[in-house]
Amino acid sequence: MTRFPKNFLWGGATAANQCEGAYNVDGRGLANVDVVPVGEERLAIITGQRKMVDFEEGYFYPAKDSIDMYHHYKEDIALFAEMGFKTYRLSIAWTRIFPKGDEVEPNEKGLEFYEKLFKECHKYGIEPLVTITHFDCPMHLIEEYGGWRNRKMLVFYERLCRTLFARYKGLVRYWLTFNEINMILHAPFMGAGLYFEEGENQEQVKYQAAHHELVASAIATKIAHEIDPENKVGCMLAAGQYYPNTSHPRDYWAALQEDRENYFFIDVQARGTYPNYAKKKWERLGIDVKMTDEDLDLLRAYTVDFISFSYYSSRVASGDPEVQEKTEGNIFASLKNPYLESSEWGWQIDPLGLRITLNAIWDRYQKPMFIVENGLGAIDKPDETGHVADDYRIDYLRKHIAAMKDAILEDGVELLGYTTWGCIDLVSAGTGEMKKRYGFIYVDRDNEGRGSLKRFKKKSFDWYKQVIASNGEDLD
Ligand code: BG6
């Protein structure tokens, strides 16, 4: 093979709470992602250390309105189609379908919204790629049941999945069960609707919640296949290989340990069993994850069809406690790599790291992969016509696409597609800012929520269009 596969799925990705807005429209209920404000307390809230269960005075909640894609989706999908998207990754807002989460009957208005959206995609030959939960949990399930720490979540999630798979049969074929499932460990309120009581064993709670999500993911895979054998279900990891800080064996060992913390989730979802290293770790930490034989059977029988992941950067680990210099990253910080440049938010830029990560995942699982997030968060400065000359973004994406191409053509990894993150500017998950932009399409809205919401094509819009039209041949 000398070229990208013919049916390679080029596209872009968004998440409901970061773009839809309309948080209380057509019967939608309140979700965890609605009540995370911009500002200093955000991190404490998304990590479950500071409890915020509703809107509080004096805070700004950007997800309430976001870029209002709820009312602009036709215009936005038309722009994606103009770029030639083959796929569009989006997520379902659980609370549009089940506003509280534990109802028996779904909210028809919510179902209609996504049905119209999927049909709009198909109008242009765009294949939807749907994340069932992207940092998204009904607040009622959190307050009433404690979020994913509670086994009852399996019932509610299964009901959500059945409803989606039945209603969208023939409209959606590619599904992801949980966005960046490893984020439970780093952002447990966003990842699993968890906040902690004083003195409780947080690791115990997080791994118990992880077990519930893993079983829920297996159940979803089972019923997706039962309802439509055409369905393909994937897991989703916040990826980025760890490098040892030096060639000292203890640094290599530290990197291996860090990688395992992330791959743990995919080891279960792709191989179907809990790895021994995890069981040993739980033993050492006194963690007792409650699981039934039936759970283990489900995990074994219903592994995922493909492995998707986000990649923004590689990471660095050291076994030397003296080595401390850190850099920001996707939710959790890593040691700084002196060989790499950083974005304005301190995320280090490493295109070769994408090739390395693709190879590491392929070597570990030999399942088809899908890069469902990659991109550069940057401050864009539009001119008076609204145009942004975002050569820095083009440069970032060009190098990452070239690295991905090497992984496919030179190394032989199997890759289904590539969706850049935030193909249209949206609210940042980590910071809640609007000024951290990833898109090919500029949206006139600022950090305080002001702006016309008008959409403008950036320079990268035409560039990506040409990349797709040439099936990844023309990257200049
Ligand atoms: C991933 C998430 O963590 O990275 C997205 O799946 C998120 O929801 C993206 O937006 C980029 O992170 P940030 O913090 O720049 O928005």
Side-chain angles (χ1 to χ4, degrees):
M1 199 202 297
T2 56
R3 289 168 187 274
F4 274 98
K6 254 211 194 109
N7 50 359
F8 192 75
L9 291 166
W10 297 96
T14 61
N17 75 88
Q18 293 173 254
C19 68
E20 281 178 7
Y23 80 103
N24 58 358
V25 173
D26 289 337
R28 183 186 182 281
L30 197 67
N32 58 343
V33 278
D34 298 328
V35 296
V36 282
V38 180
E40 280 172 16
E41 285 172 75
R42 187 175 177 94
L43 191 64
I45 295 165
I46 66 181
T47 54
Q49 310 303 325
R50 148 87 158 94
K51 191 166 163 180
M52 193 174 272
V53 297
D54 207 338
F55 301 122
E56 292 182 14
E57 230 170 275
Y59 294 91
F60 175 60
Y61 297 91
K64 275 184 165 181
D65 304 308
S66 196
I67 59 158
D68 195 28
M69 203 194 259
Y70 193 76
H71 296 108
H72 289 73
Y73 73 93
K74 287 195 179 170
E75 175 188 350
D76 295 340
I77 291 171
L79 286 166
F80 300 158
E82 195 182 326
M83 274 185 279
F85 277 23
K86 311 282 182 221
T87 187
Y88 167 43
R89 174 180 177 229
L90 68 142
S91 79
I92 300 281
W94 190 338
T95 54
R96 287 202 194 283
I97 312 298
F98 291 100
K100 288 166 77 182
D102 58 358
E103 299 92 336
V104 175
E105 293 303 324
N107 171 30
E108 178 55 29
K109 283 272 178 202
L111 286 170
E112 261 174 31
F113 169 67
Y114 292 108
E115 184 174 332
K116 284 191 282 185
L117 194 153
F118 297 144
K119 287 188 171 154
E120 197 66 18
C121 288
H122 284 291
K123 195 167 116 186
Y124 300 104
I126 297 174
E127 184 77 49
L129 162 61
V130 177
T131 318
I132 298 167
T133 37
H134 190 124
F135 298 152
D136 185 47
C137 186
M139 264 329 286
H140 172 74
L141 296 185
I142 297 176
E143 291 199 87
E144 189 67 25
Y145 303 92
W148 280 97
R149 70 171 69 212
N150 192 328
R151 216 188 143 79
K152 289 195 181 130
M153 289 296 284
L154 292 175
V155 177
F156 308 134
Y157 186 82
E158 177 173 344
R159 196 173 295 148
L160 172 70
C161 290
R162 273 192 193 285
T163 307
L164 299 179
F165 298 151
R167 176 68 173 247
Y168 304 129
K169 185 174 174 177
L171 284 175
V172 179
R173 274 196 306 149
Y174 291 96
W175 300 92
L176 306 179
T177 51
F178 291 92
N179 181 62
E180 296 190 335
I181 191 163
N182 49 326
M183 282 299 179
I184 294 182
L185 302 180
H186 310 281
F189 182 65
M190 279 211 313
L194 301 175
Y195 43 65
F196 302 101
E197 303 306 333
E198 231 179 281
E200 87 176 316
N201 182 343
Q202 298 190 4
E203 293 300 299
Q204 164 76 37
V205 175
K206 287 193 271 186
Y207 278 108
Q208 186 65 59
H211 174 69
H212 294 149
E213 286 196 0
L214 290 167
V215 176
S217 178
I219 293 173
T221 309
K222 172 177 185 284
I223 54 185
H225 292 161
E226 281 168 4
I227 290 178
D228 187 351
E230 291 287 299
N231 275 330
K232 300 267 176 253
V233 184
C235 52
M236 198 310 197
L237 173 78
Q241 198 69 10
Y242 271 92
Y243 303 157
N245 193 45
T246 71
S247 55
H248 196 298
R250 75 183 165 195
D251 288 349
Y252 186 87
W253 182 243
L256 188 137
Q257 299 296 323
E258 296 281 6
D259 275 333
R260 279 180 167 176
E261 190 170 286
N262 293 318
Y263 287 132
F264 156 77
F265 294 88
I266 313 305
D267 283 354
V268 179
Q269 289 177 295
R271 293 170 168 163
T273 52
Y274 279 107
N276 286 349
Y277 66 79
K279 293 186 206 158
K280 288 287 176 191
K281 174 176 165 178
W282 293 345
E283 238 173 77
R284 277 196 306 277
L285 297 178
I287 292 173
D288 176 24
V289 180
K290 304 268 177 302
M291 51 183 87
T292 65
D293 289 343
E294 196 200 351
D295 291 350
L296 296 177
D297 291 344
L298 284 165
L299 292 176
R300 202 170 300 114
Y302 302 103
T303 54
V304 287
D305 300 311
F306 66 97
I307 294 164
S308 81
F309 63 90
S310 61
Y311 175 84
Y312 293 94
S313 186
S314 54
R315 299 156 177 152
V316 176
S318 169
D320 177 357
E322 298 290 307
V323 178
Q324 289 289 350
E325 202 192 345
K326 296 219 161 135
T327 182
E328 286 309 314
N330 187 5
I331 307 285
F332 52 100
S334 142
L335 290 178
K336 193 165 179 159
N337 187 331
Y339 302 102
L340 302 177
E341 288 179 1
S342 302
S343 78
E344 285 156 307
W345 274 263
W347 295 24
Q348 296 204 281
I349 300 171
D350 182 11
L352 182 56
L354 176 58
R355 182 175 179 183
I356 292 167
T357 301
L358 277 162
N359 276 279
I361 296 177
W362 177 251
D363 287 352
R364 201 169 176 114
Y365 305 112
Q366 282 97 42
K367 291 218 183 205
M369 293 177 285
F370 208 135
I371 301 171
V372 295
E373 285 185 33
N374 174 235
L376 179 72
I379 298 173
D380 290 336
K381 298 201 178 74
D383 65 16
E384 53 297 341
T385 67
H387 184 75
V388 176
D390 54 345
D391 295 276
Y392 37 90
R393 181 168 294 109
I394 294 173
D395 185 58
Y396 177 101
L397 293 172
R398 177 189 290 128
K399 288 178 179 153
H400 283 78
I401 292 173
M404 152 175 107
K405 195 171 177 181
D406 287 342
I408 300 174
L409 302 183
E410 303 295 326
D411 311 327
V413 309
E414 196 180 334
L415 193 63
L416 299 170
Y418 174 77
T419 60
T420 64
W421 175 248
C423 44
I424 180 166
D425 291 347
L426 38 63
V427 172
S428 156
T431 68
E433 293 166 298
M434 195 58 220
K435 72 170 185 198
K436 190 178 187 190
R437 297 173 184 272
Y438 288 85
F440 302 115
I441 301 161
Y442 185 87
V443 179
D444 178 26
R445 179 178 159 92
D446 68 14
N447 270 1
E448 285 73 40
R450 293 170 306 219
S452 64
L453 291 178
K454 270 200 177 150
R455 278 68 167 145
F456 300 89
K457 297 173 201 172
K458 301 181 194 175
K459 187 173 177 185
S460 54
F461 184 99
D462 289 320
W463 173 80
Y464 197 46
K465 183 177 175 178
Q466 147 208 314
V467 170
I468 298 177
S470 65
N471 198 23
E473 289 307 305
D474 189 354
L475 300 180
D476 294 331

